[in-house]
Amino acid sequence: MLEKIEVISHSAIKIKDKYIIYIDPFRIEKKYKDADYIFITHDHYDHYSEDDIMKITNANTKIIIPIDLYDKVSKIGFIKENITMVEPNKKYKINEIEFETIPAYNVNKSFHLKENNWIGYIITVNDIKYYIAGDTDITEENKKIKCDIAFLPIGGVYTMNYEEAASLANLIKPKIVIPIHYGSIIGSKEDAINFSKLIQSNIECRIILK
């Protein structure tokens, strides 16, 4: 499963399977123009970066966004047919891609308010469930997640720190957990190493972001 995954930077993820899927593209090095689907979790510059979106977008790229981003993606050239607006706690299907939306929000700070309706995703590709948490703390919703691979933010300040993220991973028990949201804006490689030490032995922890 891991050979299909790349963590490009920060929280930017690329999944190469039957389709090429990006989540929160950020600091993309060159113009790939290869995205079949782009998933955006929320409207912060390190998750919704128009410059980076345009480096991977082609005429057929479909973008999945929280409702508050519709005007922005329309202005950068996405046509209505290629835009899917999503809300928390829903299930969707676009062609062969099935996904669920999980609320992503803070419980003890105000950077990501629940009423913003920002999103985490469970994306199913070839029967593999990928949970991309978005910028979130531990919540009642994400404590119930069932997935094969979980991408969890560990940087703290704006999201869970590595100890909290490890607690969530040990609770939901994915087959594989991958730490994200560290290394450039907030958090460090040391946080990722400390996170891995707290993960139960029956869960594989892989540090992909260097």
Side-chain angles (χ1 to χ4, degrees):
M1 290 186 283
L2 290 171
E3 70 276 3
K4 301 173 183 178
I5 296 170
E6 180 181 358
V7 181
I8 300 165
S9 69
H10 193 54
S11 291
I13 299 160
K14 184 177 185 178
I15 300 170
K16 297 171 65 177
D17 203 305
K18 184 173 182 180
Y19 301 99
I20 295 179
I21 299 170
Y22 287 85
I23 303 96
D24 290 349
F26 184 60
R27 295 183 175 171
I28 305 295
E29 291 184 352
K30 60 183 181 180
K31 294 181 179 179
Y32 292 99
K33 300 289 186 181
D34 61 346
D36 294 306
Y37 300 90
I38 301 171
F39 288 79
I40 303 295
T41 61
H42 66 289
D43 184 15
H44 281 164
Y45 77 95
D46 53 333
H47 297 264
Y48 176 73
S49 167
E50 293 181 353
D51 287 344
D52 291 296
I53 288 170
M54 297 315 296
K55 288 178 183 177
I56 60 175
T57 297
N58 59 62
N60 298 313
T61 301
K62 299 186 183 302
I63 192 165
I64 297 90
I65 55 167
I67 291 171
D68 61 353
L69 280 170
Y70 181 80
D71 288 343
K72 287 187 176 182
V73 299
S74 297
K75 287 178 181 176
I76 62 173
F78 282 91
I79 60 174
K80 185 177 181 180
E81 290 76 10
N82 286 341
I83 302 171
T84 299
M85 293 183 290
V86 297
E87 302 174 76
N89 299 308
K90 297 286 183 72
K91 294 183 178 182
Y92 298 86
K93 184 174 182 180
I94 306 174
N95 298 330
E96 297 175 35
I97 300 293
E98 296 183 4
F99 61 96
E100 301 174 47
T101 51
I102 310 301
Y105 59 92
N106 294 137
V107 298
N108 55 10
K109 40 195 172 286
S110 58
F111 301 105
H112 308 87
L113 300 175
K114 188 173 184 179
E115 54 263 37
N116 289 341
N117 288 325
W118 288 339
I119 304 292
Y121 295 98
I122 301 176
I123 305 170
T124 302
V125 184
N126 283 338
D127 295 323
I128 299 172
K129 291 184 178 293
Y130 300 89
Y131 171 48
I132 300 92
D135 279 8
T136 190
D137 292 322
I138 298 175
T139 68
E140 291 305 311
E141 293 90 350
N142 62 26
K143 286 193 290 187
K144 301 172 185 175
I145 293 296
K146 302 296 182 186
C147 64
D148 298 297
I149 300 176
F151 298 85
L152 301 182
I154 66 163
V157 180
Y158 308 107
T159 69
M160 297 179 277
N161 60 31
Y162 72 84
E163 293 173 311
E164 294 165 329
S167 294
L168 179 60
N170 292 334
L171 178 65
I172 65 175
K173 296 181 174 18
K175 294 175 183 176
I176 301 168
V177 63
I178 299 170
I180 59 172
H181 208 273
Y182 69 91
S184 55
I185 296 171
I186 193 74
S188 66
K189 179 69 176 293
E190 184 178 1
D191 290 329
I193 293 169
N194 289 333
F195 169 81
S196 69
K197 293 176 181 177
L198 297 176
I199 298 301
Q200 295 171 354
S201 60
N202 59 334
I203 302 169
E204 182 179 354
C205 180
R206 292 295 294 267
I207 299 173
I208 297 177
L209 176 59
K210 306 303 181 183

